[in-house]
Amino acid sequence: MLPEIRGLIVSCQAPADSPLHDPVVIAAMAQAAVNQGAVGVRIDTSYHVSAVRQKVKVPIIGLWKQQLLGYEVYITPRYEDAEAIARAGADIIAIDATLRQRPNRETLAGLIERIHAELGKPVMADVDTIENAKLAALAGADIVGTTLYGYTNETKHLSPPGFELLTQMVQQLDIPVICEGGISSPKMAREALNLGAYAVVVGTAITGIDYLVKAYREGIGNW
């Protein structure tokens, strides 16, 4: 059964080389987000999921970004990654749902089936195109998100947020659609919901201190 996550979901993540990439800090970010009304959080790595689980009761969308040699998929690419974040306390497992080659000769449908059958968790399919969104739905995904729009070879010429993709997904799919990526203001978040998004995920604009400070510093220039 899909947990109730309709509304604002905050992605609490930080670069691996950032001092913010610490379970205590990530958990504090998540707790602050929930205190201000976030209905869920999106968390990377099992140890961060575990730390956040101890602080919040709202649903956690868990994922594990893995850079594996020879493979472009990186959002929870293997079953073992899904299992680790499920054991850590994630309520929903987010996976790369593009058709790019996966480790261990695993298929998208096979991965989703194992997560359902062996972990008992719903799956959020992160996609880049309407074609992959449809295939993810057919493969059994419980939710589909626009997460990878602009981040694959097929869409690298496009910039998030993918409102056009969002609209197509809302119109053509029978499962909840989440808008994620490129949402940088409350107005944009509202627009996504008005277009029919079940929920909207906001990350960098809320929790991306490293990126935001760098952008301001570069914008200011030398004084």
Side-chain angles (χ1 to χ4, degrees), residues 1-39:
M1 181 179 294
L2 187 65
E4 179 55 52
I5 52 167
R6 192 154 206 167
L8 173 65
I9 299 167
V10 177
S11 180
C12 303
Q13 301 180 39
D17 59 352
S18 168
L20 301 179
H21 191 79
D22 179 289
V24 174
V25 177
I26 297 296
M29 284 185 191
Q31 192 171 16
V34 172
N35 287 349
Q36 298 306 316
V39 300

mmCIF file of all heavy atoms in Angstrom, residues 1-39:
data_model
loop_
_atom_site.group_PDB
_atom_site.id
_atom_site.type_symbol
_atom_site.label_atom_id
_atom_site.label_comp_id
_atom_site.label_asym_id
_atom_site.label_seq_id
_atom_site.Cartn_x
_atom_site.Cartn_y
_atom_site.Cartn_z
ATOM 1 N N MET A 1 0.839 -1.202 0.000
ATOM 2 C CA MET A 1 0.000 0.000 0.000
ATOM 3 C C MET A 1 0.875 1.253 0.000
ATOM 4 O O MET A 1 1.869 1.309 0.720
ATOM 5 C CB MET A 1 -0.923 0.012 1.218
ATOM 6 C CG MET A 1 -1.854 1.212 1.280
ATOM 7 S SD MET A 1 -2.944 1.193 2.722
ATOM 8 C CE MET A 1 -3.947 -0.229 2.346
ATOM 9 N N LEU A 2 0.486 2.217 -0.801
ATOM 10 C CA LEU A 2 1.266 3.448 -0.928
ATOM 11 C C LEU A 2 1.005 4.366 0.260
ATOM 12 O O LEU A 2 -0.147 4.706 0.539
ATOM 13 C CB LEU A 2 0.894 4.159 -2.234
ATOM 14 C CG LEU A 2 1.733 5.384 -2.612
ATOM 15 C CD1 LEU A 2 3.163 4.968 -2.886
ATOM 16 C CD2 LEU A 2 1.135 6.055 -3.855
ATOM 17 N N PRO A 3 2.061 4.795 0.977
ATOM 18 C CA PRO A 3 1.883 5.736 2.079
ATOM 19 C C PRO A 3 1.333 7.071 1.573
ATOM 20 O O PRO A 3 1.501 7.422 0.408
ATOM 21 C CB PRO A 3 3.298 5.904 2.638
ATOM 22 C CG PRO A 3 4.069 4.742 2.123
ATOM 23 C CD PRO A 3 3.461 4.397 0.808
ATOM 24 N N GLU A 4 0.717 7.828 2.438
ATOM 25 C CA GLU A 4 0.173 9.130 2.078
ATOM 26 C C GLU A 4 1.308 10.144 1.963
ATOM 27 O O GLU A 4 1.938 10.508 2.956
ATOM 28 C CB GLU A 4 -0.843 9.591 3.124
ATOM 29 C CG GLU A 4 -1.436 10.957 2.830
ATOM 30 C CD GLU A 4 -2.063 11.061 1.438
ATOM 31 O OE1 GLU A 4 -2.894 10.204 1.091
ATOM 32 O OE2 GLU A 4 -1.692 11.993 0.703
ATOM 33 N N ILE A 5 1.586 10.596 0.735
ATOM 34 C CA ILE A 5 2.677 11.554 0.507
ATOM 35 C C ILE A 5 2.217 12.675 -0.415
ATOM 36 O O ILE A 5 3.019 13.234 -1.170
ATOM 37 C CB ILE A 5 3.925 10.865 -0.087
ATOM 38 C CG1 ILE A 5 3.559 10.037 -1.335
ATOM 39 C CG2 ILE A 5 4.635 10.022 0.946
ATOM 40 C CD1 ILE A 5 4.752 9.585 -2.136
ATOM 41 N N ARG A 6 0.953 13.011 -0.355
ATOM 42 C CA ARG A 6 0.431 14.027 -1.275
ATOM 43 C C ARG A 6 0.759 15.418 -0.750
ATOM 44 O O ARG A 6 0.305 15.813 0.331
ATOM 45 C CB ARG A 6 -1.077 13.868 -1.423
ATOM 46 C CG ARG A 6 -1.652 14.668 -2.556
ATOM 47 C CD ARG A 6 -2.933 14.048 -3.067
ATOM 48 N NE ARG A 6 -3.147 14.402 -4.460
ATOM 49 C CZ ARG A 6 -4.031 13.813 -5.238
ATOM 50 N NH1 ARG A 6 -4.775 12.839 -4.765
ATOM 51 N NH2 ARG A 6 -4.175 14.183 -6.486
ATOM 52 N N GLY A 7 1.577 16.171 -1.515
ATOM 53 C CA GLY A 7 1.956 17.516 -1.106
ATOM 54 C C GLY A 7 3.427 17.769 -1.341
ATOM 55 O O GLY A 7 3.977 17.393 -2.380
ATOM 56 N N LEU A 8 4.093 18.381 -0.367
ATOM 57 C CA LEU A 8 5.507 18.744 -0.490
ATOM 58 C C LEU A 8 6.404 17.689 0.142
ATOM 59 O O LEU A 8 6.273 17.363 1.321
ATOM 60 C CB LEU A 8 5.764 20.095 0.186
ATOM 61 C CG LEU A 8 7.234 20.532 0.272
ATOM 62 C CD1 LEU A 8 7.822 20.768 -1.116
ATOM 63 C CD2 LEU A 8 7.368 21.788 1.128
ATOM 64 N N ILE A 9 7.322 17.174 -0.662
ATOM 65 C CA ILE A 9 8.352 16.244 -0.196
ATOM 66 C C ILE A 9 9.695 16.958 -0.312
ATOM 67 O O ILE A 9 9.984 17.555 -1.348
ATOM 68 C CB ILE A 9 8.356 14.964 -1.051
ATOM 69 C CG1 ILE A 9 7.001 14.250 -0.945
ATOM 70 C CG2 ILE A 9 9.493 14.035 -0.633
ATOM 71 C CD1 ILE A 9 6.798 13.171 -1.991
ATOM 72 N N VAL A 10 10.487 16.905 0.729
ATOM 73 C CA VAL A 10 11.781 17.581 0.707
ATOM 74 C C VAL A 10 12.905 16.557 0.577
ATOM 75 O O VAL A 10 12.977 15.593 1.339
ATOM 76 C CB VAL A 10 11.993 18.437 1.973
ATOM 77 C CG1 VAL A 10 13.386 19.083 1.959
ATOM 78 C CG2 VAL A 10 10.919 19.528 2.055
ATOM 79 N N SER A 11 13.754 16.772 -0.408
ATOM 80 C CA SER A 11 14.919 15.919 -0.607
ATOM 81 C C SER A 11 16.057 16.446 0.250
ATOM 82 O O SER A 11 16.541 17.562 0.041
ATOM 83 C CB SER A 11 15.326 15.913 -2.087
ATOM 84 O OG SER A 11 16.456 15.091 -2.297
ATOM 85 N N CYS A 12 16.475 15.648 1.219
ATOM 86 C CA CYS A 12 17.538 16.060 2.150
ATOM 87 C C CYS A 12 18.802 15.285 1.813
ATOM 88 O O CYS A 12 19.003 14.158 2.280
ATOM 89 C CB CYS A 12 17.109 15.791 3.590
ATOM 90 S SG CYS A 12 15.572 16.604 4.067
ATOM 91 N N GLN A 13 19.634 15.886 0.989
ATOM 92 C CA GLN A 13 20.861 15.251 0.548
ATOM 93 C C GLN A 13 21.982 16.291 0.513
ATOM 94 O O GLN A 13 21.727 17.497 0.553
ATOM 95 C CB GLN A 13 20.678 14.632 -0.840
ATOM 96 C CG GLN A 13 19.574 13.585 -0.904
ATOM 97 C CD GLN A 13 19.397 12.982 -2.282
ATOM 98 O OE1 GLN A 13 20.378 12.734 -2.997
ATOM 99 N NE2 GLN A 13 18.151 12.750 -2.680
ATOM 100 N N ALA A 14 23.212 15.819 0.423
ATOM 101 C CA ALA A 14 24.367 16.709 0.334
ATOM 102 C C ALA A 14 25.475 15.987 -0.416
ATOM 103 O O ALA A 14 25.545 14.754 -0.384
ATOM 104 C CB ALA A 14 24.852 17.108 1.729
ATOM 105 N N PRO A 15 26.344 16.740 -1.113
ATOM 106 C CA PRO A 15 27.475 16.102 -1.803
ATOM 107 C C PRO A 15 28.339 15.304 -0.836
ATOM 108 O O PRO A 15 28.460 15.666 0.347
ATOM 109 C CB PRO A 15 28.246 17.300 -2.381
ATOM 110 C CG PRO A 15 27.239 18.405 -2.458
ATOM 111 C CD PRO A 15 26.328 18.210 -1.296
ATOM 112 N N ALA A 16 28.941 14.237 -1.336
ATOM 113 C CA ALA A 16 29.738 13.358 -0.484
ATOM 114 C C ALA A 16 30.917 14.074 0.164
ATOM 115 O O ALA A 16 31.370 13.681 1.245
ATOM 116 C CB ALA A 16 30.229 12.166 -1.301
ATOM 117 N N ASP A 17 31.428 15.145 -0.480
ATOM 118 C CA ASP A 17 32.573 15.865 0.079
ATOM 119 C C ASP A 17 32.161 17.062 0.933
ATOM 120 O O ASP A 17 32.997 17.862 1.340
ATOM 121 C CB ASP A 17 33.509 16.332 -1.040
ATOM 122 C CG ASP A 17 32.824 17.261 -2.042
ATOM 123 O OD1 ASP A 17 31.588 17.435 -1.961
ATOM 124 O OD2 ASP A 17 33.534 17.813 -2.910
ATOM 125 N N SER A 18 30.871 17.179 1.222
ATOM 126 C CA SER A 18 30.377 18.298 2.017
ATOM 127 C C SER A 18 30.320 17.923 3.493
ATOM 128 O O SER A 18 30.015 16.776 3.840
ATOM 129 C CB SER A 18 28.975 18.698 1.545
ATOM 130 O OG SER A 18 28.368 19.588 2.466
ATOM 131 N N PRO A 19 30.584 18.880 4.392
ATOM 132 C CA PRO A 19 30.420 18.605 5.823
ATOM 133 C C PRO A 19 28.965 18.314 6.197
ATOM 134 O O PRO A 19 28.693 17.779 7.268
ATOM 135 C CB PRO A 19 30.919 19.898 6.496
ATOM 136 C CG PRO A 19 30.849 20.942 5.440
ATOM 137 C CD PRO A 19 31.111 20.239 4.152
ATOM 138 N N LEU A 20 28.053 18.647 5.288
ATOM 139 C CA LEU A 20 26.639 18.354 5.536
ATOM 140 C C LEU A 20 26.310 16.880 5.288
ATOM 141 O O LEU A 20 25.240 16.416 5.690
ATOM 142 C CB LEU A 20 25.757 19.225 4.633
ATOM 143 C CG LEU A 20 25.900 20.739 4.781
ATOM 144 C CD1 LEU A 20 24.984 21.449 3.792
ATOM 145 C CD2 LEU A 20 25.588 21.178 6.203
ATOM 146 N N HIS A 21 27.230 16.181 4.635
ATOM 147 C CA HIS A 21 27.004 14.762 4.309
ATOM 148 C C HIS A 21 27.298 13.918 5.555
ATOM 149 O O HIS A 21 28.246 13.135 5.622
ATOM 150 C CB HIS A 21 27.903 14.340 3.150
ATOM 151 C CG HIS A 21 27.563 12.994 2.587
ATOM 152 N ND1 HIS A 21 26.513 12.777 1.715
ATOM 153 C CD2 HIS A 21 28.127 11.774 2.772
ATOM 154 C CE1 HIS A 21 26.463 11.504 1.378
ATOM 155 N NE2 HIS A 21 27.432 10.872 2.011
ATOM 156 N N ASP A 22 26.476 14.117 6.540
ATOM 157 C CA ASP A 22 26.646 13.469 7.829
ATOM 158 C C ASP A 22 25.256 13.040 8.288
ATOM 159 O O ASP A 22 24.305 13.824 8.202
ATOM 160 C CB ASP A 22 27.261 14.454 8.828
ATOM 161 C CG ASP A 22 27.459 13.853 10.202
ATOM 162 O OD1 ASP A 22 26.456 13.627 10.904
ATOM 163 O OD2 ASP A 22 28.618 13.639 10.599
ATOM 164 N N PRO A 23 25.102 11.813 8.751
ATOM 165 C CA PRO A 23 23.765 11.343 9.132
ATOM 166 C C PRO A 23 23.052 12.255 10.123
ATOM 167 O O PRO A 23 21.833 12.462 10.012
ATOM 168 C CB PRO A 23 24.052 9.965 9.740
ATOM 169 C CG PRO A 23 25.298 9.504 9.064
ATOM 170 C CD PRO A 23 26.122 10.743 8.876
ATOM 171 N N VAL A 24 23.776 12.810 11.063
ATOM 172 C CA VAL A 24 23.156 13.690 12.060
ATOM 173 C C VAL A 24 22.615 14.952 11.401
ATOM 174 O O VAL A 24 21.505 15.411 11.699
ATOM 175 C CB VAL A 24 24.170 14.051 13.160
ATOM 176 C CG1 VAL A 24 23.577 15.097 14.119
ATOM 177 C CG2 VAL A 24 24.580 12.809 13.938
ATOM 178 N N VAL A 25 23.393 15.507 10.474
ATOM 179 C CA VAL A 25 22.973 16.732 9.786
ATOM 180 C C VAL A 25 21.794 16.458 8.862
ATOM 181 O O VAL A 25 20.821 17.216 8.828
ATOM 182 C CB VAL A 25 24.153 17.336 8.994
ATOM 183 C CG1 VAL A 25 23.698 18.562 8.212
ATOM 184 C CG2 VAL A 25 25.291 17.709 9.939
ATOM 185 N N ILE A 26 21.872 15.378 8.098
ATOM 186 C CA ILE A 26 20.775 15.027 7.194
ATOM 187 C C ILE A 26 19.494 14.787 7.988
ATOM 188 O O ILE A 26 18.401 15.222 7.582
ATOM 189 C CB ILE A 26 21.132 13.777 6.363
ATOM 190 C CG1 ILE A 26 22.355 14.054 5.459
ATOM 191 C CG2 ILE A 26 19.940 13.329 5.537
ATOM 192 C CD1 ILE A 26 22.124 15.113 4.404
ATOM 193 N N ALA A 27 19.600 14.111 9.117
ATOM 194 C CA ALA A 27 18.430 13.861 9.956
ATOM 195 C C ALA A 27 17.851 15.166 10.486
ATOM 196 O O ALA A 27 16.620 15.321 10.577
ATOM 197 C CB ALA A 27 18.795 12.927 11.108
ATOM 198 N N ALA A 28 18.720 16.099 10.831
ATOM 199 C CA ALA A 28 18.255 17.406 11.308
ATOM 200 C C ALA A 28 17.534 18.164 10.197
ATOM 201 O O ALA A 28 16.503 18.805 10.434
ATOM 202 C CB ALA A 28 19.430 18.218 11.839
ATOM 203 N N MET A 29 18.063 18.109 8.983
ATOM 204 C CA MET A 29 17.396 18.720 7.833
ATOM 205 C C MET A 29 15.992 18.141 7.665
ATOM 206 O O MET A 29 15.016 18.865 7.475
ATOM 207 C CB MET A 29 18.189 18.443 6.542
ATOM 208 C CG MET A 29 19.429 19.244 6.320
ATOM 209 S SD MET A 29 20.058 18.815 4.652
ATOM 210 C CE MET A 29 21.661 19.595 4.706
ATOM 211 N N ALA A 30 15.911 16.818 7.726
ATOM 212 C CA ALA A 30 14.630 16.146 7.541
ATOM 213 C C ALA A 30 13.641 16.539 8.628
ATOM 214 O O ALA A 30 12.463 16.811 8.362
ATOM 215 C CB ALA A 30 14.833 14.636 7.523
ATOM 216 N N GLN A 31 14.127 16.587 9.855
ATOM 217 C CA GLN A 31 13.258 16.949 10.972
ATOM 218 C C GLN A 31 12.759 18.381 10.835
ATOM 219 O O GLN A 31 11.586 18.676 11.081
ATOM 220 C CB GLN A 31 14.015 16.762 12.282
ATOM 221 C CG GLN A 31 13.145 16.830 13.523
ATOM 222 C CD GLN A 31 13.885 16.418 14.777
ATOM 223 O OE1 GLN A 31 15.111 16.353 14.786
ATOM 224 N NE2 GLN A 31 13.146 16.121 15.827
ATOM 225 N N ALA A 32 13.640 19.286 10.413
ATOM 226 C CA ALA A 32 13.241 20.680 10.204
ATOM 227 C C ALA A 32 12.190 20.776 9.099
ATOM 228 O O ALA A 32 11.218 21.534 9.218
ATOM 229 C CB ALA A 32 14.466 21.523 9.851
ATOM 230 N N ALA A 33 12.372 20.000 8.029
ATOM 231 C CA ALA A 33 11.409 20.014 6.928
ATOM 232 C C ALA A 33 10.042 19.529 7.392
ATOM 233 O O ALA A 33 9.006 20.128 7.066
ATOM 234 C CB ALA A 33 11.928 19.144 5.779
ATOM 235 N N VAL A 34 10.034 18.462 8.149
ATOM 236 C CA VAL A 34 8.777 17.909 8.649
ATOM 237 C C VAL A 34 8.108 18.881 9.623
ATOM 238 O O VAL A 34 6.889 19.056 9.614
ATOM 239 C CB VAL A 34 9.021 16.535 9.309
ATOM 240 C CG1 VAL A 34 7.767 16.039 10.011
ATOM 241 C CG2 VAL A 34 9.480 15.526 8.258
ATOM 242 N N ASN A 35 8.910 19.520 10.458
ATOM 243 C CA ASN A 35 8.365 20.490 11.411
ATOM 244 C C ASN A 35 7.617 21.614 10.707
ATOM 245 O O ASN A 35 6.677 22.194 11.259
ATOM 246 C CB ASN A 35 9.480 21.087 12.265
ATOM 247 C CG ASN A 35 10.022 20.115 13.302
ATOM 248 O OD1 ASN A 35 9.438 19.048 13.526
ATOM 249 N ND2 ASN A 35 11.139 20.458 13.915
ATOM 250 N N GLN A 36 8.044 21.931 9.483
ATOM 251 C CA GLN A 36 7.417 23.024 8.734
ATOM 252 C C GLN A 36 6.375 22.534 7.730
ATOM 253 O O GLN A 36 5.905 23.304 6.894
ATOM 254 C CB GLN A 36 8.504 23.849 8.023
ATOM 255 C CG GLN A 36 9.486 24.511 8.973
ATOM 256 C CD GLN A 36 8.793 25.368 10.024
ATOM 257 O OE1 GLN A 36 7.869 26.122 9.717
ATOM 258 N NE2 GLN A 36 9.244 25.258 11.272
ATOM 259 N N GLY A 37 6.010 21.256 7.798
ATOM 260 C CA GLY A 37 4.891 20.781 7.013
ATOM 261 C C GLY A 37 5.175 19.838 5.860
ATOM 262 O O GLY A 37 4.245 19.466 5.128
ATOM 263 N N ALA A 38 6.421 19.441 5.656
ATOM 264 C CA ALA A 38 6.706 18.468 4.594
ATOM 265 C C ALA A 38 5.987 17.159 4.906
ATOM 266 O O ALA A 38 5.997 16.693 6.054
ATOM 267 C CB ALA A 38 8.206 18.223 4.473
ATOM 268 N N VAL A 39 5.362 16.569 3.884
ATOM 269 C CA VAL A 39 4.610 15.335 4.100
ATOM 270 C C VAL A 39 5.487 14.092 3.940
ATOM 271 O O VAL A 39 5.054 12.974 4.229
ATOM 272 C CB VAL A 39 3.409 15.243 3.141
ATOM 273 C CG1 VAL A 39 2.467 16.403 3.348
ATOM 274 C CG2 VAL A 39 3.875 15.189 1.671
#
